[in-house]
Amino acid sequence: MMAVADLLAELRTDANTRIAGLLGPLVFFDKHLEGRLEVKFGEEVARMIGSLRKLFKLRSMVGPSATQNTIESLRWADQIETLRKMLLAMSTDIRVVMIRLCSRLQTLRHFTHHPDIKAEKGDIWGYALSHARETLDLYAPLANRLGLWQLKWELEDLSFRILEPKTYKSVAKMLDEKRTEREAFITDSMATIKSSLAKVGISCEISGRPKHIYSIWNKM
């Protein structure tokens, strides 16, 4: 829970969003949580917690664990697009979606550090595969639509690492071998752009980073 709050802090969200992110998982254990939280933390936090409860519940209705009767009339692509729209429509406060994205990212981080994931065995391996596939289909595109690039690239890379571990390691190794050249190219490019803009009177800050592993593999 603290990790989700830390991610939200990195995104420079306000205090109420961080509080809701910290307390969000408690909705699984307390059906009447919102009422008590409103007394202690205010209406805004309680409202976000209530929306989070709906989002968590929505996954079991439409996600990979849904029953065949629920999805038989929808192709998977249509189902995912419908769910994206439902997520945004249900969350009148966009901060709730940000909390959900951070929660999913932390779950993937946990999976990739679990010993059973590396051994590709156990129940948690099955859960990890399901979550990774759903993340690529739903949560990463959602982060992209919201402009949350720092969440998008890590959601994609961790999902790819789980779904295609051998390919992930292969691409990562090739990138690591050429890291120095790539970083030098980016540094030179940034300097060139900044100099060109300065000549026409534009003062700015330039930033750059290497493309992430999933993006490179996807283009290959």
Side-chain angles (χ1 to χ4, degrees):
M1 292 188 291
M2 281 298 298
V4 173
D6 288 341
L7 282 169
L8 290 166
E10 291 174 15
L11 293 173
R12 300 182 180 181
T13 57
D14 60 16
N16 281 342
T17 306
R18 283 176 251 175
I19 292 171
L22 184 66
L23 300 175
L26 296 180
V27 300
F28 292 111
F29 309 104
D30 188 344
K31 294 181 179 179
H32 307 289
L33 182 65
E34 292 93 304
R36 285 194 284 274
L37 289 181
E38 183 172 355
V39 174
K40 190 170 182 63
F41 297 105
E43 180 184 352
E44 189 174 26
V45 170
R47 185 174 63 250
M48 282 193 281
I49 292 294
S51 295
L52 277 173
R53 183 191 297 279
K54 294 176 183 177
L55 291 186
F56 284 129
K57 184 178 180 181
L58 189 62
R59 181 179 188 274
S60 64
M61 294 167 56
V62 191
S65 59
T67 65
Q68 185 62 34
N69 289 336
T70 304
I71 65 173
E72 61 183 1
S73 61
L74 289 174
R75 290 185 295 111
W76 179 243
D78 293 335
Q79 180 190 4
I80 288 297
E81 182 60 26
T82 298
L83 184 49
R84 284 193 197 115
K85 293 176 180 177
M86 289 174 67
L87 280 169
L88 290 173
M90 287 174 59
S91 298
T92 53
D93 190 335
I94 200 65
R95 294 174 298 176
V96 176
V97 179
M98 294 173 68
I99 293 171
R100 187 68 188 97
L101 291 171
C102 288
S103 174
R104 173 49 60 94
L105 177 54
Q106 182 53 33
T107 298
L108 292 178
R109 286 178 175 179
H110 169 72
F111 281 148
T112 53
H113 286 89
H114 197 285
D116 282 351
I117 296 300
K118 296 177 181 179
E120 298 182 19
K121 65 178 184 180
D123 290 342
I124 194 170
W125 173 241
Y127 288 129
L129 290 174
S130 171
H131 280 69
R133 182 72 268 163
E134 184 188 45
T135 298
L136 287 181
D137 287 339
L138 172 62
Y139 291 101
L142 191 56
N144 183 53
R145 289 189 180 192
L146 296 177
L148 299 171
W149 318 119
Q150 61 269 58
L151 296 185
K152 173 188 177 290
W153 76 260
E154 191 173 357
L155 287 168
E156 289 181 337
D157 273 8
L158 292 179
S159 297
F160 181 47
R161 181 176 174 182
I162 292 169
L163 292 167
E164 300 286 348
K166 292 181 181 179
T167 307
Y168 175 91
K169 290 177 183 178
S170 175
V171 176
K173 183 179 179 181
M174 288 189 287
L175 290 177
D176 195 51
E177 290 173 349
K178 296 184 177 293
R179 183 177 300 276
T180 302
E181 294 97 328
R182 290 188 299 122
E183 290 178 348
F185 175 79
I186 291 171
T187 300
D188 291 344
S189 298
M190 289 165 56
T192 300
I193 294 171
K194 189 167 186 176
S195 174
S196 298
L197 291 173
K199 289 178 182 179
V200 294
I202 299 175
S203 177
C204 63
E205 292 185 8
I206 306 293
S207 62
R209 63 169 178 80
K211 293 188 72 63
H212 60 287
I213 293 174
Y214 177 75
S215 177
I216 290 172
W217 175 83
N218 212 20
K219 285 180 171 57
M220 290 168 59

